[in-house]
Amino acid sequence: MDVTGLAPAFREIVGADAVITDHQELRTYECDGLTSHAAVPGIVVLPTSADQVARIVRTCVAEGVPYVARGSGTGLSGGALPRADGVLIVTSRMRRVLGVDVANRIAVVEPGVVNLAVTRAASPSGYYYAPDPSSQQICSIGGNVAENSGGAHCLKYGFTVNHVLGLEIVTPQGELVRLGGPAVQYPGYDLVGAFVGSEGTLGIATEVTVRLLRAPEDVATLLAAFDSIDAAGACVSAIIAAGIIPAAIEMMDATAIAAVEAAVACGYPPGAAAVLIVEVDGPAAEVAAQLDQVRTLAAEAFDIRVAADDTERAAIWKGRKSAFAAIGHTSPSYIVQDGVVPRTALPAVLSRIETLSRDSGIAVANVFHAGDGNLHPLVMYDDKVAGETERAEEVSAAILDLCLSHGGSLTGEHGIGVDKSRYMPRMFSDADLDTMQLLRCAFDPGGLCNPGKVFPTPRLCGERPGHRKGVHPLAESGKAELL
């Protein structure tokens, strides 16, 4: 059906100014942060309440129309890629901080609240929200929940799933239900854990209860410059082996350093093959002791700087947090890859990535969360040069294979979305994928909630797990493509 035919029904729910049908305006929402996948949505609706979201979903279900939820649109895996034949439900107008409860160390927020706004709301009381994706100034809590976002400080404090206590969600059938709550633990299946990181396939979060942490007494940030990637990698392993769990350990290679210097002039030591940013926090005495240990373990660095105050700390972080955007200034196009390897495999994997780059002629900058082995290789190419896009895709895929061959993962924090769904069979067996699909179908038997994401094939709800034979019915009917 032509989904614009649903516009009158949606206007009844949210008002005329919250329904978009104009093609040029719809193009604003054709992709998320990963621009290589784009589709103009059939219609966009911007609700302001959970009840409106539920009514929109029930309307879609009644008409058999697929729908996709979107927050700030900063995702990097195409997880919020809209459907041309579907409805895009944008939660950016649901951005109220509903409460900060210091006594219980929680905050209750709507899904469109920007990540950093949670900390700003809690900081007058001496608390903060720990997950800090690089896009925390613009990414929304709802998107963080969908992707189980992490950030530089997840090494010590964990990912979003470790900080969400409760959810109000609209189920794929349009019911409003609550999962978890303000208490630390609830009996029964961990449905909050199942929902967080489900990439919008199990419903739409309309209210999120998050854990707040007490701001540390002291923070120390150190920048160490090395003349080789191997030396920087060895320093990371030595720090962890010494029993220190820093709040963050970030690494950038020479290509990434050159890009951020050109873009934001962050003043990193010239000539560095790699820099490490190590941040420790906690009681002042513990921070001082750990800082001394890190200095000793970084003895091979040719330059070590420690931030004297918040201004210098911000200057050190400026380069790291600007890295992705800086690459955009130096390369017409690039792929942000997101793979994970065991920390001890970092030197071997980085060496192999360098070889892949050299052999293919495709430049790769490495910016990553070194402490937990979460790589973000930035595969740079010019899409106007014949063949470069294909070669960049090949390098990107080879990096993922490399991560898997070392016992790693396809993603650390960006999710699978539509971009990596074709790689899922490289990590999981058919039985694994069918078991995951059973969970998805338990929530969404109609398959209308963010379809086409995460899973590589159009598996039908109700299919029996196991090896498939013959052509899939959706593929045979031309409604879906087997990847």
Side-chain angles (χ1 to χ4, degrees):
M1 69 173 293
D2 179 2
V3 293
T4 57
L6 296 177
F10 290 148
R11 291 187 184 109
E12 284 288 322
I13 297 171
V14 297
D17 68 337
V19 179
I20 299 174
T21 56
D22 177 76
H23 183 75
Q24 290 305 315
E25 292 184 62
L26 291 173
R27 289 197 61 191
T28 304
Y29 300 93
E30 67 181 6
C31 66
D32 57 16
L34 185 68
T35 57
S36 56
H37 298 276
V40 178
I43 191 169
V44 170
V45 189
L46 296 103
T48 56
S49 71
D51 179 65
Q52 290 181 355
V53 174
R55 292 172 65 191
I56 293 165
V57 169
R58 289 199 293 270
T59 302
C60 292
V61 172
E63 299 296 333
V65 172
Y67 57 91
V68 176
R70 170 186 166 119
S72 296
T74 58
L76 292 170
S77 62
L81 181 72
R83 298 264 302 211
D85 61 346
V87 177
L88 188 67
I89 303 171
V90 180
T91 60
S92 58
R93 294 185 179 180
M94 300 174 67
R95 54 197 320 162
R96 292 180 299 163
V97 175
L98 300 172
V100 174
D101 181 349
V102 172
N104 285 307
R105 299 192 174 193
I106 61 172
V108 182
V109 303
E110 291 186 325
V113 169
V114 170
N115 175 293
L116 193 56
V118 183
T119 290
R120 285 175 175 155
S123 59
S125 302
Y127 287 81
Y128 75 110
Y129 178 59
D132 61 340
S134 295
S135 57
Q136 70 175 147
Q137 295 188 51
I138 51 174
C139 66
S140 64
I141 292 296
N144 292 174
V145 168
E147 303 298 333
N148 190 21
S149 300
H153 294 82
C154 64
L155 171 64
K156 182 174 182 178
Y157 294 105
F159 289 77
T160 297
V161 71
N162 304 115
H163 298 271
V164 173
L165 295 173
L167 294 162
E168 176 191 71
I169 70 165
V170 172
T171 70
Q173 291 76 43
E175 297 174 281
L176 261 175
V177 302
R178 287 191 176 274
L179 310 177
V184 174
Q185 184 70 14
Y186 289 88
Y189 294 116
D190 181 11
L191 296 179
V192 172
F195 191 92
V196 177
S198 61
E199 304 195 25
T201 62
L202 304 185
I204 302 173
T206 51
E207 183 184 293
V208 186
T209 301
V210 300
R211 187 195 311 270
L212 299 176
L213 300 184
R214 184 76 176 171
E217 180 184 4
D218 197 11
V219 180
T221 305
L222 175 148
L223 177 75
F226 296 83
D227 57 13
S228 75
I229 286 276
D230 284 352
C235 181
V236 173
S237 295
I239 290 170
I240 301 299
I244 303 169
I245 304 297
I249 308 183
E250 301 288 297
M251 189 188 296
M252 299 168 60
D253 70 6
T255 305
I257 295 167
V260 297
E261 285 294 345
V264 298
C266 52
Y268 288 172
V275 295
L276 279 184
I277 299 172
V278 184
E279 190 160 277
V280 291
D281 63 8
E286 179 180 301
V287 168
Q290 290 186 341
L291 185 60
D292 285 344
Q293 281 184 280
V294 172
R295 281 178 182 273
T296 301
L297 295 167
E300 284 196 42
F302 67 81
D303 193 348
I304 294 177
R305 303 173 184 176
V306 177
D309 52 34
D310 288 345
T311 301
E312 291 190 10
R313 178 174 302 109
I316 288 176
W317 278 108
K318 184 178 181 180
R320 169 60 185 90
K321 290 185 178 287
S322 303
F324 290 6
I327 293 297
H329 286 288
T330 60
S331 177
S333 303
Y334 64 98
I335 299 168
V336 181
Q337 197 44 280
D338 171 44
V340 181
V341 298
R343 200 165 35 241
T344 52
L346 279 174
V349 170
L350 292 171
S351 176
R352 179 59 185 155
I353 290 175
E354 184 178 7
T355 301
L356 286 169
S357 173
R358 185 174 58 249
D359 292 349
S360 64
I362 297 292
V364 179
N366 288 292
V367 181
F368 54 100
H369 309 306
D372 51 12
N374 186 187
L375 300 168
H376 291 316
L378 303 169
V379 182
M380 298 182 284
Y381 63 100
D382 187 345
D383 55 359
K384 292 185 174 60
V385 176
E388 275 210 9
T389 301
E390 291 75 14
R391 283 189 289 137
E393 288 281 358
E394 290 171 4
V395 170
S396 181
I399 290 172
L400 288 180
D401 284 337
L402 188 58
C403 292
L404 295 180
S405 70
H406 282 80
S409 167
L410 292 173
T411 179
E413 57 182 349
H414 295 172
I416 296 297
V418 69
D419 188 54
K420 290 184 178 176
S421 59
R422 63 189 184 279
Y423 300 121
M424 288 286 274
R426 301 188 187 188
M427 184 169 180
F428 298 104
S429 68
D430 276 355
D432 294 332
L433 294 171
D434 284 332
T435 302
M436 293 182 206
Q437 183 71 351
L438 286 176
L439 175 64
R440 179 175 186 167
C441 292
F443 278 77
D444 182 24
L448 295 176
C449 185
N450 206 16
K453 312 295 166 54
V454 182
F455 295 100
T457 60
R459 294 157 192 263
L460 290 173
C461 295
E463 282 186 334
R464 294 177 64 83
H467 296 282
R468 292 182 306 280
K469 296 180 179 178
V471 180
H472 194 288
L474 285 179
E476 189 173 34
S477 66
K479 294 180 178 177
E481 182 181 1
L482 288 171
L483 301 174

